[in-house]
Amino acid sequence: MPAADLAWLLAAFALVSLMFPGLAMFYGGMLGTKNILNMLMMVMSSLAVTSVLYVLYGYSMVSGNSWGGLGIIGDPLEFFGLQTFVTDLETGGAEGLYWAAFFILFAAITIAIVASGAAGRMKFGAWIAFSALWLTLVYFPLAHQVFTFSDPESGYVGGWLRNVIELHDFAGGTAVHMNAGVAALALAMVLGKRKSAAHRPHNLPMVVLGAGILWFGWYGFNGGSAAGANFLAQYVVLTSLLAGSAGIIGFCLVERIRNGKATTLGMASGAIAGLVGITPSADAVDPIGALLVGLAAGAVVCLALTWKTKLGIDDTLDAFAVHGVGGVVGVICVVLFADSAAPAGITGILFGGNLDIVWRELVAITVTCTYSFVMTYAIAWGLNKTIGLRVTEEDEYAGLDVTLHAETAYVSERA
Amino acid sequence: MPAADLAWLLAAFALVSLMFPGLAMFYGGMLGTKNILNMLMMVMSSLAVTSVLYVLYGYSMVSGNSWGGLGIIGDPLEFFGLQTFVTDLETGGAEGLYWAAFFILFAAITIAIVASGAAGRMKFGAWIAFSALWLTLVYFPLAHQVFTFSDPESGYVGGWLRNVIELHDFAGGTAVHMNAGVAALALAMVLGKRKSAAHRPHNLPMVVLGAGILWFGWYGFNGGSAAGANFLAQYVVLTSLLAGSAGIIGFCLVERIRNGKATTLGMASGAIAGLVGITPSADAVDPIGALLVGLAAGAVVCLALTWKTKLGIDDTLDAFAVHGVGGVVGVICVVLFADSAAPAGITGILFGGNLDIVWRELVAITVTCTYSFVMTYAIAWGLNKTIGLRVTEEDEYAGLDVTLHAETAYVSERA
Amino acid sequence: MPAADLAWLLAAFALVSLMFPGLAMFYGGMLGTKNILNMLMMVMSSLAVTSVLYVLYGYSMVSGNSWGGLGIIGDPLEFFGLQTFVTDLETGGAEGLYWAAFFILFAAITIAIVASGAAGRMKFGAWIAFSALWLTLVYFPLAHQVFTFSDPESGYVGGWLRNVIELHDFAGGTAVHMNAGVAALALAMVLGKRKSAAHRPHNLPMVVLGAGILWFGWYGFNGGSAAGANFLAQYVVLTSLLAGSAGIIGFCLVERIRNGKATTLGMASGAIAGLVGITPSADAVDPIGALLVGLAAGAVVCLALTWKTKLGIDDTLDAFAVHGVGGVVGVICVVLFADSAAPAGITGILFGGNLDIVWRELVAITVTCTYSFVMTYAIAWGLNKTIGLRVTEEDEYAGLDVTLHAETAYVSERA
Amino acid sequence: MKLITAIIQPHRLDAVHEALSARHVNGLTVTEVSGYGAQKGHSEIYRGAEYNIAFRPKVRIDVVVTEDEADATIQIIVDAAYTGKIGDGKVWATEVSEIVRVRTGERGVTAV
Amino acid sequence: MKLITAIIQPHRLDAVHEALSARHVNGLTVTEVSGYGAQKGHSEIYRGAEYNIAFRPKVRIDVVVTEDEADATIQIIVDAAYTGKIGDGKVWATEVSEIVRVRTGERGVTAV
Amino acid sequence: MKLITAIIQPHRLDAVHEALSARHVNGLTVTEVSGYGAQKGHSEIYRGAEYNIAFRPKVRIDVVVTEDEADATIQIIVDAAYTGKIGDGKVWATEVSEIVRVRTGERGVTAV
Ligand SMILES: Nc1ncnc2c1ncn2[C@@H]1O[C@H](COP(=O)(O)OP(=O)(O)O)[C@@H](O)[C@H]1O
Ligand SMILES: Nc1ncnc2c1ncn2[C@@H]1O[C@H](COP(=O)(O)OP(=O)(O)O)[C@@H](O)[C@H]1O
Ligand SMILES: Nc1ncnc2c1ncn2[C@@H]1O[C@H](COP(=O)(O)OP(=O)(O)O)[C@@H](O)[C@H]1O
C-alpha cells in the first residue's frame, strides 16, 4: 500500500527534521555560556551545506549507479539538480524526491555530530569549508558503500559493503554513527585542546530537552528506514523505545556504582547511547535483546567516557564514545544475540548462529572507522595548513559567540 | 485499511513519546532552581522502569487474559518477553508489538505525573523502587480493568470496569489521569511538606514550552486511541484542540475575576486541564460540547487549586487538582452533555439521556480513586517504614540536584 | 486512498500544532527579560480566541458558500457549531471536521504572528479584543477569498481571488504571511514605539529552538496543504527543506558581506524567511528553484530588516520584513522561475512563460496587502480611541510580565 | 553612617529581611553571590569527570544605617541568619562618608 | 580616593553611564542586584497563590574616584539616575585606602 | 581589618582562588559583575542593527583580611589576576570597622 507507506514516511521525515534543534539543544546545553551559539550554528548550518551539495551532486554520489561498477562511489553527475524526480511517476508512494529529502537529513545529522568535536575553538568559515569537504569525501562514499543496494535486474551497482560484504546495519550504525564519532575524534585531534578549563554544562534542562527530542526523532530515523508503514516499522519503533530506556539504566547503573550517584547528564547520555546501539540492530534483536542492547550500550559508553579523558584528547562532547563506541556495541550485539525470529533473520552466535556474520561486521566496522579517521584527519590537517582552523587564543577566552558571531546567548539586563 | 491505520498509529506513538520531555519541562520549569534535575530524572526514568517491567510482565498484566476470569488483572506470565509478537502475523496493520510500545508510554506517563507529588524531597532510589511497585500494584491492575476488552469469541476475558460496568472513558481519564492525580496526592501526604518555603516557578517559558509539547503529544494520545486513521481519530483531534483552547479561557477567566489578572502559568495549566477533561470525553461531545468541557475543566481546576492550598497538603505541582479533578470534570461532562450524534453515541442527561451512564461513571470514578489512593498510600507508607522515602533536611536545603545527582541545573560562569 | 491521506493529514495537523510553542519560543527569546510572558500569552491565546470563533462562525465565513455569490465572504451562519460534521460521512478520509481543525491552526498562527508587532506595550484585554475583531474582519474574508474553491457542480461559490483572479498561492503566502506581516506593521504604527531602548534578544538558544520547531511544523503546514499522502506532499516537503536551508545561506551571506559576521539570529531568521518564501511557491519550482527561492527570500529579508529600522516604525520582531516581504519574494519567484514540470505546471517568465501569471499575482498581493493594512489600521485605531491599546509608561518600564500578568519569567533565587 | 555587609545562607534571606523590617530598617540591597570559607566546596560529576566546585551559593545583603543603629543591625542580622552550621557566613561593617537619596537629593542620615 | 556605590533603577543605567563617560570617569563596575526601600515589593500570582515579592530589580554601580572628583561624581550619578519616582535609589561613598591597576601594578590615583 | 575588592577577568578566577588558598586566606566572596574601563565595549549585531555593548563580563572578589595581611593579599591577587592585557582590572581596599562570624558570634580578627 504505497500511499500508506508514504503517509508514515512523510511523518518520519518530519520527526527526523526535529533532531536538528534537538541536537543543537543537546550539545549547546553541555557547553559553557560563551560558545553555545557557535555550536548551534554549526549544527543548524549542516542543513544548509548538505542541502546544496545533495541537490548538486550528493544524491548522485550516494545513490547513483556505482562509478565503474566498483561499489565505491556513485556517479556524481547522474542526478544533477534532482531534475529526474520532478515528474510524478505515479507510483502513489515515496519516490526519489522523498528519499532525497530523507537522506539529506541523514547526511546533515552526521556532519552535525562531527561538529561536537570542534566545540569552542574552530573558525566558522573553516567549519563550513570542512563540512562541505567532509560530506563530499567521507560521508557520500561511505553512505554509498553502506546504504545503496545493487539491482541485478537493471544492472544498477550499489555499494560494496552492502552488496559484496553484505554487512548488517539496519539504519546507519556505520555510515552515520561510527563515521561521525571517529571523525569528531580526528577533527578534535587536529584542532588540539581548548585553552580554557573544562566547563560544566551550562544548562542541563536544555540537554534533557535535546535528548528527548532526539529520541522522538529517532523513531523517524529508524522507523523511516523501514521504508513504510509495515511490520518492520513497528518492530524497530518498539526496539528503539526499549533500547533508549535500557540505555538510561546501563549508564546510570555504572555511574551509581562508580561515583555513588546517578546523574541527569548520564541519563540523557545513556538514552542516546542506547539509541545509537539499536540503530544497526533494531531489526535483529527481540524485545529482551533490545533491552540488552540498550543496557550494554549505556554501560560501555559510560565506561568509555572516562577512558577518553585519560587519552587527553579534547573530543569535547564525547561523540567518539557515544556514537563511535555506542555504534560498535550495537553491531556486536547483533553478532552475539540476534534472534532469528526477528525481521532481519540473523541468528546470534550465542544462539548457535554461524560465525559468518562476525567477519562481515568486522570488515564493515574496520573499513568505516579507518576510512573515516584517515580521511577526516587529512582534510582537517590540510585545511589547517592552508586556511587555518583555529581561532586566536584571545577569541577563545572571550568566547566564540561574541568574537565569531557578534552575539551573546543570554542577556539578563532588565533595562 | 490496516496499513493506513498503522501509518497514523506510528506517528501517534511518536507524538506521545515527546510528552516525556514535554512533561519534564512543564514540571521542571515550575520548580525552584535546585530541584529541577531531580524532577527531570523522575519523569524521564519512568520510561526506563516501565519498559523493563512491561516487557517482563506488564503487558501480560494489562492486556493478558484475566486471571481466573475475574476481570481484575491479566495473567502475568502470558506474554513474557513479548516473544509472541516477534513474528509478523501479516495483518498489515498494528500488531501486539505496536500496542506494547504505545501502552508503555501510557504507563510511563502516568507514573511520571505521580512524580510531581514528590518534588524536592524524595530519595532517588526510593523513587525508583516506588515507581516499580506502583506500576505493578496500582497501574497494571487499573489499566487492565479499564482498557482491556473481553473477546467472547475467543473466550478472552478483559477488565471488569470495561466489560461489566461498561464505563465510558475514551482514552484514559480514569486509569491515567484520576489514578495519577490521586496517587500524587497520597504520595505527597506520606512524604509530608517540603521544608523550604514555596518557590515561584523558576522558568515560565519552559513551562509554556512543556505545555505546548504536551498538547502536541495529546493529539497522539487521544488520536492514537482511535486505533487508526479513521473518522474517530479526526473527531477526537478536533475536540482535543477545542478543549485545550477553551481550557485556557476557563482558567484565565477565573483568574481574571478572582485575582484581576490572567497569568501565563494559568494559561498553560488551563490548556492541560482542558486536555485532561477531554481525555475521557473526546468521542462523546460535539464541538460546542468540547468547548464546554474545556471551559469547565479549566475553571474548576483553577478553583480546585486554591482549595488544595487550604488543605495544607504539599501536592507540589498540583497533580491532584489538574489530573484528578480535571479528569472527574471530563467524565461529568460526558454524563451531562454527551451528544448522541457523536461517535460514542451517548446521550447526556441534559439532552434527555437516561441515568444509566451516571452510575457506571460513578462506579468507575470511585473504584479508580479509592483503589489508587489506598494502594498508593500503603506502598509509600511501607517503603517509608523500611527504606525511608525522604532526604535529610540539609539535603533539602542544599537542593536535590547537588545532593542526589551531583549536578547543577544552570551554570553561568563565564571562565 | 483516503485513509492513507488522512493518516498523513492527522500527522500534519499535529506538526502544525507544535508551531505555537515554537513561535512562542522564537518570539519570546528575541525580547528582553520583562515582556516575554506577555508575548507567550499573546501567541498561545490565539488558539483560544480562534477556536471559539471558528466553531461559532469562522468556519462558515472562510469555507461557507459565498454570501451573495460575490466571492468576498462565506455565509456566517452556514456551519454554526460545526454540527454538520459530527456525523461520519464514511468517506474514510478527511472530512469537514478535520479541515476545521487544520484551518483553526492556520487562522491562529496568522494572528499569533501579528502579535509580534505589539510586543512590550499592549494591554492584554485590548489584545484579546483586537484579535477577535481582526480574525473576523480581516483574516476570515481574506482566507475565504484566497483558499476557498468554487464547486460549479454544486453551485457552491468560493473566493474571488482563488476562482476569478486564479492567483497561485500554494499554502497561504497571501492570506497568512503577507496578511500577518502587513497587519503587524499597521498595529505597530498605531501603537507607536516602545518607551524603553531596544533590547538585545534575551535568549538566542530559545530562538533557535523556536525556529527549529517552526521548520518542523512547516512540513505539516505545506505538506498538509497537499491534502494527502501523495506526490505533491513529498514534493513540497522537499522544496520546504531546500528553501529553509538556502534561506540560511541567503541571510547569512548578506550579513557576512555587510557586517563581516554571520549571526545565529540571522541563521534562524533566514530559515524562516526561506520557509515563508516557499509557502506560496512550494509546488511551482524545481529543487534548484527551491534553493533559489530560499536564497532570495533570505537575502532580501535580511536587507529589508535594515530598511525598516530607518523608517522608524517599531515593528518589534520584524513580522513585516520576514512575513510580508518574504511572502512577496516567494510569489515573485513563482512568476520568475516556476518550472512547468513541477506539480503546479506554471512556466516562469524566465523560462518563457506568458505574462498572464504576473497580473494575477500582482492583484492578489495588492488586494491582500492593501485590505490588510487599511482594515488593521482602522481596527487598531478604533480600539485605541475607545478602550485604549497601550499600557502606561510606568508599566512599560516595569515590564508587562509583572504588571499585566503578575509573574516573572525567570526566578533565580536559590532559597 | 555605616554600611553593613552580610554574606548569608540563601535560605535565611527571608528571615533576615523580616527581622530587619520589624526593626524599621528602611532599605536594603540584595546580591546573589557565591563564596567559600570554612565550608569547603563540593564535587559534581559530569560524564564521569569530577569537578571540584569551590564556591557555594550565598546571598549578600548591603544595608546603610546610622552610626548608632549599626551595632544593633549587625546583631539582628547575625541572629536571623544563624543556623549553627558551617557556612553561615560573615557580617562586616565599613564607614560611609556620605549618602544621597536620588529621588529627593537629601543627604546624610535623613537619606538612609 | 572614594568608592561611590549607587543603587539605581535598571533603566537609568545607560543614562548614568553616558553622564559619567562624558565627565571622563574612566571605569566602573555594574552588578545586578535587587532591593527594597520606600518602594515596597509587589505581589505575583502563581496558580492562585499570591507571593509577596519583597525585592525589586535594581542595578548597582561601583566606581572608584579621586577624593576631589567624589562629590562631582555623586552629583552626576544622582542627576542622571533621577526620575522623581519612589525607588530611584541611593548613592553612598566610602573611603578607599589603596587601589592597584592589575595590568600595570600602578597604585593610588594613577590607578583609578 | 581591610576589605579587599578585586575586579578581574573571569578566566583568572581559578588562579586567584588557588593563590589565595595557598596563602591560607580562609574565605572569600565572588560576584558576577560587568564593567568598563580602558577596555571599551564591543559591538554586537542583531538582525542588522548594531548594539554597542559598553560592559564586559568581569568577576568581583571580596575578601576581608587582617590589617597586616592586607598588602600581601592585594599583591597575591594582582599577581594571579595578571595577564598583561587591557581589561585586567582593579584591586582596592577599604577599612572594615567590625566583622562577625554568624555561626559563632566571634568578632574581630578571629572572625575573619
Ligand atoms: N574573609 C572573608 N572575606 C569575604 N567573605 C568571606 C570571608 N570568609 C567567609 N566569607 C563568606 O562567608 C561565607 C561563609 O563562610 P564560611 O567560612 O564557610 O562559614 P562560617 O562563617 O560558618 O565558618 C563564605 O562562603 C564566603 O562567601
Ligand atoms: N539603607 C539602605 N541600604 C542599602 N540599600 C538601600 C537602602 N535604602 C534603599 N536602598 C536601595 O535603594 C533602592 C531604592 O530605594 P527606595 O527607598 O525604594 O527608593 P527611594 O530612595 O526613592 O525612596 C532599594 O531598592 C534598595 O536596593
Ligand atoms: N574606577 C573604577 N571604579 C570601579 N571599577 C573600575 C574602575 N576602573 C576599572 N574598573 C573595573 O575594572 C575593569 C577593568 O578595567 P580596565 O580599565 O578595562 O582595564 P585595565 O585596568 O587593564 O586598564 C572594568 O571592566 C571595571 O569593571
Side-chain angles (χ1 to χ4, degrees):
Chain A
M1 216 135 345
D5 290 340
L6 179 58
W8 162 236
L9 290 174
L10 287 166
F13 168 84
L15 298 186
V16 179
S17 81
L18 203 66
M19 294 179 95
F20 292 85
L23 194 69
M25 296 300 118
F26 188 64
Y27 284 160
M30 269 190 259
L31 292 171
T33 43
K34 57 190 188 183
N35 299 313
I36 306 161
L37 300 179
N38 176 250
M39 177 50 67
L40 302 192
M41 287 203 74
M42 290 202 284
V43 169
M44 298 301 292
S45 66
S46 68
L47 282 167
V49 174
T50 311
S51 286
V52 172
L53 297 191
Y54 230 80
V55 171
L56 296 181
Y57 57 76
Y59 190 91
S60 309
M61 285 178 74
V62 173
S63 307
N65 196 351
S66 263
W67 195 71
L70 295 172
I72 306 284
I73 186 74
D75 173 357
L77 302 174
E78 196 168 348
F79 299 103
F80 175 80
L82 303 179
Q83 201 61 32
T84 338
F85 302 133
V86 169
T87 319
D88 187 353
L89 300 180
E90 312 209 333
T91 60
E95 302 189 358
L97 217 57
Y98 173 81
W99 294 110
F102 197 60
F103 285 142
I104 287 175
L105 300 185
F106 269 54
I109 205 77
T110 309
I111 184 72
I113 295 170
V114 178
S116 70
R121 56 208 192 278
M122 191 166 180
K123 290 194 249 173
F124 188 62
W127 166 254
I128 297 294
F130 171 83
S131 60
L133 282 173
W134 190 87
L135 283 167
T136 308
L137 300 177
V138 184
Y139 181 83
F140 293 159
L142 279 175
H144 178 75
Q145 293 165 36
V146 163
F147 288 132
T148 310
F149 285 92
S150 294
D151 180 6
E153 221 166 292
S154 65
Y156 216 88
V157 181
W160 71 288
L161 287 173
R162 176 61 66 182
N163 301 286
V164 181
I165 303 299
E166 293 180 10
L167 92 162
H168 179 268
D169 177 0
F170 177 63
T174 49
V176 174
H177 292 288
M178 291 179 210
N179 185 8
V182 166
L185 186 75
L187 178 58
M189 286 171 70
V190 175
L191 278 169
K193 289 183 159 202
R194 283 165 296 167
K195 289 278 174 253
S196 48
H199 296 290
R200 287 185 286 166
H202 87 284
N203 192 329
L204 284 175
M206 190 193 265
V207 172
V208 171
L209 175 65
I213 292 177
L214 284 171
W215 200 340
F216 169 79
W218 230 289
Y219 294 124
F221 197 96
N222 285 359
S225 295
N230 47 36
F231 183 75
L232 184 55
Q234 56 191 305
Y235 198 96
V236 302
V237 157
L238 175 68
T239 51
S240 301
L241 167 62
L242 298 179
S245 296
I248 294 177
I249 301 178
F251 202 109
C252 286
L253 264 187
V254 171
E255 285 195 317
R256 176 80 201 223
I257 292 164
R258 190 182 54 195
N259 310 107
K261 272 160 191 167
T263 72
T264 314
L265 181 58
M267 180 189 69
S269 308
I272 301 303
L275 290 164
V276 169
I278 205 70
T279 301
S281 59
D283 61 341
V285 292
D286 57 29
I288 291 198
L291 288 174
L292 294 177
V293 167
L295 213 59
V300 173
V301 166
C302 184
L303 293 167
L305 287 169
T306 40
W307 297 339
K308 173 214 80 158
T309 311
K310 281 163 206 154
L311 284 179
I313 300 166
D314 192 5
D315 177 13
T316 318
L317 303 176
D318 302 302
F320 178 68
V322 176
H323 297 273
V325 175
V328 172
V329 171
V331 172
I332 291 177
C333 288
V334 173
V335 171
L336 290 182
F337 45 77
D339 179 342
S340 58
I346 299 169
T347 312
I349 54 179
L350 290 184
F351 299 151
N354 68 37
L355 293 173
D356 194 55
I357 179 85
V358 180
W359 73 263
R360 296 185 193 284
E361 298 301 81
L362 270 183
V363 170
I365 293 178
T366 313
V367 168
T368 304
C369 295
T370 313
Y371 183 77
S372 176
F373 187 86
V374 172
M375 284 301 292
T376 308
Y377 201 99
I379 296 170
W381 187 89
L383 283 177
N384 200 25
K385 291 287 157 196
T386 48
I387 61 173
L389 294 181
R390 207 159 158 162
V391 300
T392 64
E393 196 177 321
E394 253 142 292
D395 282 3
E396 212 176 311
Y397 280 123
L400 305 193
D401 292 356
V402 159
T403 53
L404 297 188
H405 307 296
E407 294 175 304
T408 302
Y410 305 106
V411 172
S412 64
E413 288 154 14
R414 295 188 49 94
Chain B
M1 213 133 352
D5 290 340
L6 179 58
W8 162 236
L9 290 175
L10 287 166
F13 168 84
L15 299 186
V16 179
S17 81
L18 203 66
M19 294 179 95
F20 291 85
L23 194 69
M25 296 300 118
F26 188 63
Y27 284 161
M30 268 190 260
L31 291 172
T33 44
K34 58 189 187 183
N35 300 312
I36 305 161
L37 300 179
N38 176 251
M39 178 50 67
L40 303 192
M41 287 203 74
M42 290 202 283
V43 169
M44 299 300 292
S45 67
S46 69
L47 282 168
V49 174
T50 311
S51 286
V52 172
L53 297 191
Y54 229 81
V55 171
L56 296 181
Y57 58 76
Y59 190 92
S60 309
M61 285 178 73
V62 173
S63 307
N65 196 351
S66 263
W67 196 71
L70 295 171
I72 306 285
I73 187 74
D75 172 358
L77 302 174
E78 195 167 348
F79 298 106
F80 175 81
L82 304 179
Q83 201 61 33
T84 337
F85 303 132
V86 169
T87 319
D88 187 353
L89 300 180
E90 312 209 332
T91 59
E95 302 188 359
L97 218 57
Y98 173 80
W99 294 110
F102 197 61
F103 284 142
I104 287 175
L105 300 185
F106 270 53
I109 204 78
T110 309
I111 183 73
I113 295 169
V114 178
S116 69
R121 56 206 192 280
M122 190 168 181
K123 291 194 250 173
F124 188 61
W127 166 255
I128 297 295
F130 172 83
S131 61
L133 281 174
W134 190 86
L135 284 167
T136 308
L137 301 177
V138 184
Y139 181 82
F140 292 160
L142 280 175
H144 179 74
Q145 292 164 36
V146 164
F147 288 133
T148 311
F149 284 92
S150 294
D151 181 5
E153 221 167 292
S154 63
Y156 215 86
V157 180
W160 72 287
L161 288 172
R162 177 60 68 183
N163 301 286
V164 181
I165 303 300
E166 293 180 9
L167 92 161
H168 178 268
D169 177 359
F170 177 62
T174 50
V176 174
H177 292 288
M178 290 179 209
N179 185 7
V182 166
L185 186 75
L187 178 58
M189 286 172 70
V190 175
L191 278 168
K193 288 184 159 199
R194 283 166 295 167
K195 289 278 172 253
S196 47
H199 295 290
R200 288 185 286 166
H202 86 285
N203 191 328
L204 284 174
M206 190 193 266
V207 172
V208 171
L209 175 65
I213 292 178
L214 284 172
W215 200 341
F216 170 78
W218 228 290
Y219 294 125
F221 196 96
N222 285 0
S225 295
N230 47 36
F231 183 74
L232 183 56
Q234 55 190 304
Y235 198 96
V236 301
V237 157
L238 175 68
T239 50
S240 301
L241 168 61
L242 298 180
S245 296
I248 294 178
I249 301 177
F251 201 109
C252 287
L253 264 187
V254 171
E255 284 195 317
R256 177 79 202 223
I257 292 164
R258 190 182 54 195
N259 310 107
K261 272 160 190 167
T263 73
T264 314
L265 181 58
M267 179 190 68
S269 308
I272 301 302
L275 290 164
V276 169
I278 204 71
T279 300
S281 59
D283 61 341
V285 294
D286 57 29
I288 290 197
L291 289 174
L292 293 177
V293 167
L295 213 59
V300 173
V301 166
C302 183
L303 293 167
L305 287 168
T306 40
W307 296 340
K308 173 213 81 157
T309 312
K310 280 165 205 150
L311 285 180
I313 299 168
D314 191 5
D315 178 14
T316 318
L317 303 175
D318 302 303
F320 178 68
V322 176
H323 297 273
V325 175
V328 171
V329 171
V331 172
I332 292 176
C333 289
V334 173
V335 171
L336 291 181
F337 45 77
D339 179 341
S340 57
I346 299 168
T347 312
I349 54 181
L350 290 184
F351 299 151
N354 68 37
L355 293 173
D356 195 54
I357 181 83
V358 181
W359 72 263
R360 295 184 194 285
E361 298 301 79
L362 270 183
V363 170
I365 293 178
T366 313
V367 168
T368 304
C369 295
T370 313
Y371 182 77
S372 176
F373 187 85
V374 172
M375 283 300 292
T376 308
Y377 202 100
I379 296 171
W381 187 89
L383 283 176
N384 200 25
K385 290 288 156 195
T386 49
I387 61 174
L389 294 181
R390 211 163 155 158
V391 300
T392 65
E393 196 177 321
E394 254 142 291
D395 283 4
E396 212 176 311
Y397 280 124
L400 304 194
D401 292 356
V402 160
T403 53
L404 297 187
H405 307 297
E407 295 176 303
T408 303
Y410 304 106
V411 172
S412 64
E413 289 154 13
R414 295 188 49 92
Chain C
M1 214 131 352
D5 290 341
L6 179 58
W8 162 237
L9 290 175
L10 287 166
F13 168 83
L15 298 186
V16 179
S17 80
L18 203 65
M19 295 179 93
F20 291 84
L23 195 70
M25 297 299 118
F26 188 64
Y27 285 160
M30 268 191 262
L31 292 171
T33 43
K34 57 189 187 184
N35 299 314
I36 306 161
L37 300 180
N38 177 251
M39 178 50 67
L40 302 193
M41 287 202 76
M42 289 202 285
V43 169
M44 298 301 292
S45 66
S46 68
L47 282 167
V49 174
T50 312
S51 286
V52 172
L53 298 191
Y54 230 80
V55 170
L56 296 181
Y57 57 76
Y59 190 93
S60 309
M61 285 178 73
V62 173
S63 307
N65 196 352
S66 264
W67 196 70
L70 296 171
I72 306 283
I73 188 73
D75 172 357
L77 303 174
E78 195 168 349
F79 299 104
F80 175 79
L82 305 178
Q83 201 62 32
T84 338
F85 302 133
V86 170
T87 319
D88 187 355
L89 300 180
E90 311 211 333
T91 61
E95 303 188 357
L97 216 57
Y98 172 82
W99 294 110
F102 197 62
F103 285 142
I104 286 174
L105 300 185
F106 269 53
I109 205 76
T110 310
I111 183 73
I113 296 169
V114 178
S116 70
R121 56 207 193 277
M122 190 168 181
K123 290 195 250 172
F124 188 63
W127 166 254
I128 297 294
F130 172 83
S131 60
L133 281 174
W134 190 86
L135 283 167
T136 308
L137 300 177
V138 184
Y139 180 83
F140 292 159
L142 278 175
H144 179 75
Q145 292 164 37
V146 164
F147 288 133
T148 309
F149 284 93
S150 294
D151 180 5
E153 220 167 292
S154 64
Y156 215 88
V157 181
W160 73 287
L161 287 172
R162 175 63 66 182
N163 302 285
V164 181
I165 304 299
E166 292 179 10
L167 92 163
H168 178 269
D169 177 0
F170 177 64
T174 49
V176 174
H177 292 289
M178 290 179 211
N179 185 6
V182 167
L185 186 75
L187 177 58
M189 286 172 69
V190 175
L191 277 169
K193 288 184 160 201
R194 283 166 296 166
K195 289 279 173 250
S196 47
H199 295 289
R200 287 185 287 165
H202 87 285
N203 191 328
L204 284 176
M206 191 193 263
V207 172
V208 171
L209 175 65
I213 292 177
L214 284 171
W215 200 339
F216 169 79
W218 230 290
Y219 294 124
F221 196 97
N222 285 359
S225 296
N230 47 35
F231 183 75
L232 183 57
Q234 55 190 305
Y235 198 96
V236 300
V237 157
L238 175 69
T239 50
S240 301
L241 167 61
L242 298 179
S245 296
I248 294 178
I249 301 177
F251 202 108
C252 286
L253 264 188
V254 171
E255 284 195 317
R256 176 79 201 224
I257 292 163
R258 191 182 53 194
N259 311 107
K261 272 161 191 165
T263 73
T264 314
L265 181 58
M267 179 189 68
S269 309
I272 300 303
L275 290 164
V276 169
I278 205 71
T279 300
S281 58
D283 61 341
V285 293
D286 56 30
I288 291 198
L291 288 174
L292 293 177
V293 167
L295 214 58
V300 174
V301 166
C302 184
L303 293 167
L305 288 168
T306 40
W307 296 339
K308 173 214 79 159
T309 312
K310 279 163 208 151
L311 284 180
I313 299 167
D314 192 5
D315 177 13
T316 318
L317 302 176
D318 302 303
F320 177 68
V322 176
H323 297 273
V325 175
V328 171
V329 171
V331 172
I332 292 175
C333 288
V334 173
V335 171
L336 291 182
F337 44 77
D339 179 343
S340 58
I346 300 168
T347 312
I349 54 180
L350 290 185
F351 301 150
N354 67 37
L355 293 173
D356 194 54
I357 180 84
V358 180
W359 72 263
R360 296 186 193 284
E361 298 300 80
L362 270 184
V363 170
I365 293 178
T366 314
V367 167
T368 304
C369 294
T370 314
Y371 183 77
S372 176
F373 187 86
V374 172
M375 283 300 293
T376 308
Y377 202 100
I379 296 170
W381 188 89
L383 283 176
N384 201 24
K385 290 286 156 198
T386 50
I387 61 173
L389 294 182
R390 209 162 157 160
V391 300
T392 64
E393 195 178 323
E394 253 142 292
D395 282 3
E396 211 176 312
Y397 280 123
L400 304 194
D401 293 355
V402 159
T403 53
L404 296 188
H405 307 296
E407 294 176 303
T408 303
Y410 305 106
V411 172
S412 64
E413 288 154 15
R414 294 188 48 93
Chain D
M1 286 152 305
K2 280 268 169 27
L3 165 66
I4 318 284
T5 300
I7 313 292
I8 62 167
Q9 292 283 28
H11 68 267
R12 300 309 298 167
L13 174 60
D14 281 352
V16 171
H17 170 220
E18 272 162 39
L20 289 173
S21 291
R23 178 73 186 212
H24 304 299
V25 172
N26 305 322
L28 57 80
T29 299
V30 175
T31 316
E32 288 185 32
V33 300
S34 54
Y36 91 106
Q39 185 189 34
K40 292 292 173 260
H42 61 279
S43 66
E44 298 190 355
I45 303 162
Y46 297 95
R47 287 192 162 174
E50 235 173 291
Y51 290 70
N52 194 27
I53 309 307
F55 306 110
R56 290 181 177 265
K58 301 280 167 190
V59 159
R60 170 183 173 138
I61 297 175
D62 287 283
V63 47
V64 179
V65 292
T66 55
E67 206 64 48
D68 39 307
E69 282 289 321
D71 274 350
T73 306
I74 292 177
Q75 201 52 52
I76 290 167
I77 296 178
V78 168
D79 290 348
Y82 177 81
T83 73
K85 304 228 175 64
I86 275 186
D88 267 3
K90 303 272 151 83
V91 183
W92 65 74
T94 50
E95 189 64 36
V96 169
S97 56
E98 178 66 290
I99 177 160
V100 193
R101 185 190 304 274
V102 172
R103 175 166 46 92
T104 57
E106 290 160 280
R107 290 181 173 238
V109 281
T110 58
V112 173
Chain E
M1 286 152 303
K2 280 269 170 26
L3 166 65
I4 318 285
T5 300
I7 314 292
I8 62 168
Q9 292 283 27
H11 68 268
R12 302 309 297 167
L13 174 60
D14 281 352
V16 171
H17 170 219
E18 272 162 39
L20 288 174
S21 291
R23 180 72 187 213
H24 304 301
V25 172
N26 306 322
L28 58 78
T29 300
V30 174
T31 316
E32 288 185 33
V33 299
S34 53
Y36 91 105
Q39 185 189 33
K40 292 293 173 260
H42 62 278
S43 67
E44 299 190 354
I45 302 161
Y46 297 95
R47 287 192 162 173
E50 234 173 291
Y51 291 70
N52 194 26
I53 309 307
F55 307 110
R56 291 183 177 264
K58 301 281 167 188
V59 158
R60 170 183 174 139
I61 295 175
D62 287 284
V63 47
V64 179
V65 292
T66 55
E67 207 63 48
D68 39 306
E69 283 289 321
D71 274 351
T73 307
I74 291 176
Q75 202 52 51
I76 291 166
I77 296 177
V78 168
D79 290 348
Y82 178 82
T83 72
K85 304 228 175 64
I86 274 186
D88 267 4
K90 303 271 150 85
V91 184
W92 63 76
T94 50
E95 190 63 36
V96 169
S97 57
E98 178 65 291
I99 178 161
V100 192
R101 185 191 303 275
V102 173
R103 175 165 48 90
T104 57
E106 289 161 279
R107 290 180 173 241
V109 281
T110 59
V112 172
Chain F
M1 285 153 303
K2 281 268 170 26
L3 165 66
I4 319 283
T5 300
I7 313 292
I8 63 168
Q9 292 282 28
H11 69 268
R12 301 309 298 167
L13 174 60
D14 281 351
V16 171
H17 171 219
E18 272 162 39
L20 288 174
S21 292
R23 179 70 187 212
H24 304 300
V25 172
N26 305 322
L28 57 78
T29 300
V30 174
T31 316
E32 289 184 32
V33 300
S34 54
Y36 91 106
Q39 185 190 33
K40 293 290 174 262
H42 61 278
S43 66
E44 299 190 354
I45 303 160
Y46 297 95
R47 287 191 162 174
E50 234 174 290
Y51 291 70
N52 194 26
I53 310 306
F55 306 109
R56 290 182 177 263
K58 301 281 167 189
V59 158
R60 170 183 175 139
I61 295 174
D62 287 283
V63 46
V64 179
V65 291
T66 55
E67 206 64 46
D68 39 306
E69 282 289 320
D71 274 351
T73 306
I74 291 176
Q75 201 52 50
I76 291 167
I77 296 176
V78 168
D79 290 349
Y82 178 82
T83 73
K85 306 227 174 65
I86 274 185
D88 267 3
K90 301 272 151 83
V91 183
W92 63 74
T94 50
E95 190 63 37
V96 169
S97 57
E98 179 64 290
I99 178 160
V100 192
R101 185 190 304 274
V102 172
R103 174 166 47 90
T104 57
E106 288 162 280
R107 290 183 171 238
V109 281
T110 59
V112 173

